Amino acid sequence: MAPARVSQTESDNRKIVGVNAETVTNVTSTNFPGHYPGEDHEWDLEEFRNTFTVEFHKNQIFDASFSLIGIDASIANAFRRILLAEIPTLAIEFVFVHNNTSIVQDEVLSHRLGLIPLTGNQEGLRWLQQYKKPIDEDRDGNGVQDVNTIVLKLKVECTKADNYDELIKKGEDDPTLLYNHAHVYAKDLNFIVSGRQDTFFSGEADGIRPVHPDILLAKMRPGQCIDMELHCIKGIGADHAKFSPVATASYRLLPTISITKPILGNDAKKFARCFPKGVIGLEEVSRDDAKRRGSGYEGYEGEKKAVVRNTFKDTVSRECLRHPEFEGKVKLGRVRDHFIFMVESTGQYHSDDLFLESVSILKEKCTSLKRDWANYLAR
């Protein structure tokens, strides 16, 4: 018997997660074999190729928003988790303190240094390998090499300004004018090129540097100094948050709003105020609508009616469900397979490149699993 055919309307309705006043319904995916008698829901690669869609809404250097349409929640969540915790990035790991007479303790200053987002030549950052520290139990570590370690220097000393006495007589009390290096910033970090690193990181534009040069690290007064050597290595966010390449990586499902009965006049204005600006619009009831029997607009020609404009902007606050005048007139929901991603890069990589990197990592995981499974079956 041939598989039963399902209308497009029915297929679309099955993808809607119902959002009610106090509950959420139809949460579980049902498009798998055996759920609907007589229907074939076997996963098909060719069908996936034809239905899967990527839509970019915003693509800036540090901030990207895009939609993945037609995939399962498990895959979308895998991309999100990889973005947060499994893309290798460069950060300060080892701090060698030669001298620190500032009021900031060594361990506190080291922690602040570790959290500074770094950037540099994109090709060079990918060329760098992950550092493996040799230990007694494992002597196979690669140790410090030009291919796995970036060296930075922080050497600043606070001194009085050349015109210090003159400024004091004028009553000046701004320490940044009275002293040199009264404030220590991330821009005071100096990159030391080593070995083959000059191939990728030569010049000011390509060298390793802080993403935000004005991050305040410490405050000093005359006689105080900081002298440190910093070793940067690649790591992943699963080991420490400083290695996470994103400030945030999240997704939400596309909201849906269905007006099932006419909402007119002052109720329409109130209904629009229940949503963020641009989600609901007001239009006049046309003559054709007023003439159409059963439309609900009979006799209301010229009245204002509520219409759905752009559900993408909706936050699904459910505010409209609190008001009795809208009861039975509106249905809220979310599209189960439409994931709207928001990726905010910390600056080491461009935000859109990060998503492509997460795809590559997931592909490597699948390849590894496939190989291990084949080896297991070959035993």
Side-chain angles (χ1 to χ4, degrees), residues 246-358:
V246 295
T248 183
S250 61
Y251 64 77
R252 63 188 177 99
L253 298 178
L254 178 70
T256 63
I257 303 170
S258 299
I259 299 176
T260 58
K261 293 181 181 180
I263 302 176
L264 302 164
N266 291 330
D267 283 351
K269 296 178 181 179
K270 182 177 180 180
F271 185 73
R273 291 196 297 268
C274 292
F275 297 87
K277 188 176 180 180
V279 176
I280 300 296
L282 299 177
E283 295 180 358
E284 289 187 356
V285 176
S286 66
R287 180 174 299 177
D288 291 338
D289 286 339
K291 287 181 179 180
R292 192 167 64 250
R293 185 175 298 178
S295 66
Y297 297 116
E298 299 95 327
Y300 291 101
E301 182 181 348
E303 281 271 2
K304 293 291 185 181
K305 66 175 181 178
V307 295
V308 179
R309 286 275 171 81
N310 187 359
T311 61
F312 185 88
K313 297 180 179 180
D314 189 25
T315 58
V316 195
S317 66
R318 313 189 200 191
E319 172 66 20
C320 64
L321 301 181
R322 295 178 58 248
H323 303 280
E325 55 265 48
F326 305 133
E327 187 174 352
K329 295 183 177 181
V330 60
K331 287 185 178 180
L332 304 181
R334 289 183 181 271
V335 183
R336 188 187 294 111
D337 66 347
H338 188 139
F339 299 88
I340 304 170
F341 271 79
M342 283 75 70
V343 178
E344 183 182 336
S345 170
T346 56
Q348 190 161 129
Y349 297 106
H350 294 175
S351 53
D352 54 348
D353 290 340
L354 286 173
F355 176 70
L356 296 177
E357 192 68 26
S358 71

Side-chain angles (χ1 to χ4, degrees), residues 6-15 36:
V6 182
S7 67
Q8 188 62 44
T9 303
E10 174 63 19
S11 178
D12 292 342
N13 289 337
R14 289 176 180 178
K15 296 179 181 179
Y36 295 104

